Amino acid sequence: MLRSLFSGAAIAAVIIVAIPAIPAAVTAVPSMEPGGAPSASLIEAVEPASVPTPTPSPTVMDADATDEPAAAPSTEDVAKDEPHEDATDGAGAAPAPEPERTSSGGATSAASAPAPANRTVTEESDVVYRALPAPLPTELATPACPAPISGSTAGAPSATSELGVAGTTSEDLASFATRYNQIRVANCLPPVPFGNIRYDSCMEQRLFWMAEDPSTDPMSAWGHIGSQRSDGVPSVGCDGNLAGGSGNTGATVADKWWASSGHRASLYKPGNTGSMAGTCILFAMTHGGVPNEPYSFTRAAARWVSC
């Protein structure tokens, strides 16, 4: 009988390499909060065909809600492989052999030692990142807003209607033009040259027609082309964005038109950010009315045209 003899028991070391799973991405969901509405005033958009008749009031007002932009979400998605570690199993790993040394002339130097036979060399896994793209250059990400401009308007004639209603004054026009451009620059829109913001006699004729309605209801005849006067006199003049009520000035109606989304789109056109050299803004305002409206009760009209 043959017997195999072993000088000792050889214990094999088993190397286990663990690579954890990549964590899942995390995303964020934004929230949106609506805006508020401007204070009351007698105000009409260009598009509607007519206006309902409310209960008579010393100050007649109609306002639209403002729009609030929604905030954009910020998302970061990062996944990473952790470095792995080698582990041994069994009685223990065999010790690493001593580096081989050679001598020459009494000097000793270490030679490169071979890798241990019982170890497997595994390169670390690549680290994977998924992050937000690099930010745009400052001049592209945050463009400079237009600067304010100086100038003056050509003025208005301060005309008076046949029944004594006072028309647009130079102060009315200058007040409107100054505030109109202040609003545009504050909202990063290019201002319109002051010489292009002009008095318009055609819109003033329509405002006179409204103000001379013999009804004591200030809403009588109020509205766009197609509205009716209580005495049946046909309408005259040109249409525009309308605003009115007690104590208004050119500046306050500019604010009211910006606060209303429909009027803002018609009169300010926020999407137009190019040169304003060919743009004209026409304006008119009347003070008082028949039979008993005081000078402080105003009606105003404005429109955007090419010039």
Side-chain angles (χ1 to χ4, degrees):
M1 177 171 23
L2 299 176
R3 301 180 61 183
S4 298
L5 300 178
F6 295 89
S7 60
I11 302 174
V14 179
I15 300 175
I16 301 173
V17 179
I19 302 178
I22 298 176
V26 179
T27 59
V29 179
S31 65
M32 182 183 303
E33 182 177 0
S39 59
S41 171
L42 188 151
I43 186 165
E44 289 293 332
V46 170
E47 281 71 18
S50 62
V51 206
T53 303
T55 304
S57 171
T59 302
V60 185
M61 305 176 182
D62 180 19
D64 296 330
T66 57
D67 303 320
E68 291 289 340
S74 173
T75 308
E76 182 171 1
D77 185 4
V78 180
K80 178 179 178 180
D81 286 339
E82 297 294 339
H84 64 270
E85 294 181 359
D86 293 340
T88 59
D89 188 15
E98 288 291 328
E100 181 180 340
R101 295 180 180 274
T102 60
S103 60
S104 174
T108 304
S109 63
S112 298
N118 64 336
R119 292 182 63 87
T120 301
V121 178
T122 305
E123 294 184 359
E124 289 191 3
S125 301
D126 292 336
V127 178
V128 180
Y129 292 92
R130 185 178 302 157
L132 291 173
L136 293 173
T138 304
E139 62 273 13
L140 297 179
T142 55
C145 291
I149 60 173
S150 59
S152 60
T153 55
S158 298
T160 302
S161 75
E162 291 182 0
L163 298 182
V165 177
T168 315
T169 68
S170 294
E171 183 179 355
D172 293 334
L173 181 62
S175 172
F176 168 75
T178 299
R179 186 58 185 151
Y180 180 85
N181 272 336
Q182 286 175 346
I183 292 171
R184 291 187 65 83
V185 171
N187 290 276
C188 213
L189 298 174
V192 174
F194 280 97
N196 288 7
I197 302 178
R198 304 171 181 175
Y199 157 76
D200 184 67
S201 60
C202 189
M203 287 192 302
E204 186 179 66
Q205 287 302 312
R206 179 162 177 78
L207 296 177
F208 280 151
W209 175 83
M210 295 179 196
E212 290 182 341
D213 187 326
S215 172
T216 56
D217 179 5
M219 287 295 292
S220 182
W222 176 257
H224 300 290
I225 297 295
S227 64
Q228 302 293 317
R229 231 169 76 162
S230 64
D231 58 0
V233 174
S235 66
V236 295
C238 300
D239 209 349
N241 293 279
L242 301 175
S246 295
N248 278 316
T249 65
T252 63
V253 294
D255 283 327
K256 289 179 179 181
W257 284 323
W258 175 262
S260 164
S261 60
H263 297 83
R264 185 191 314 152
S266 174
L267 186 59
Y268 288 88
K269 298 188 185 294
N272 293 36
T273 57
S275 171
M276 295 290 108
T279 295
C280 279
I281 307 299
L282 307 183
F283 176 81
M285 176 176 270
T286 59
H287 302 262
V290 175
N292 58 354
E293 293 169 359
Y295 184 88
S296 60
F297 190 93
T298 63
R299 294 170 173 87
R303 57 192 171 125
W304 172 300
V305 299
S306 297
C307 58

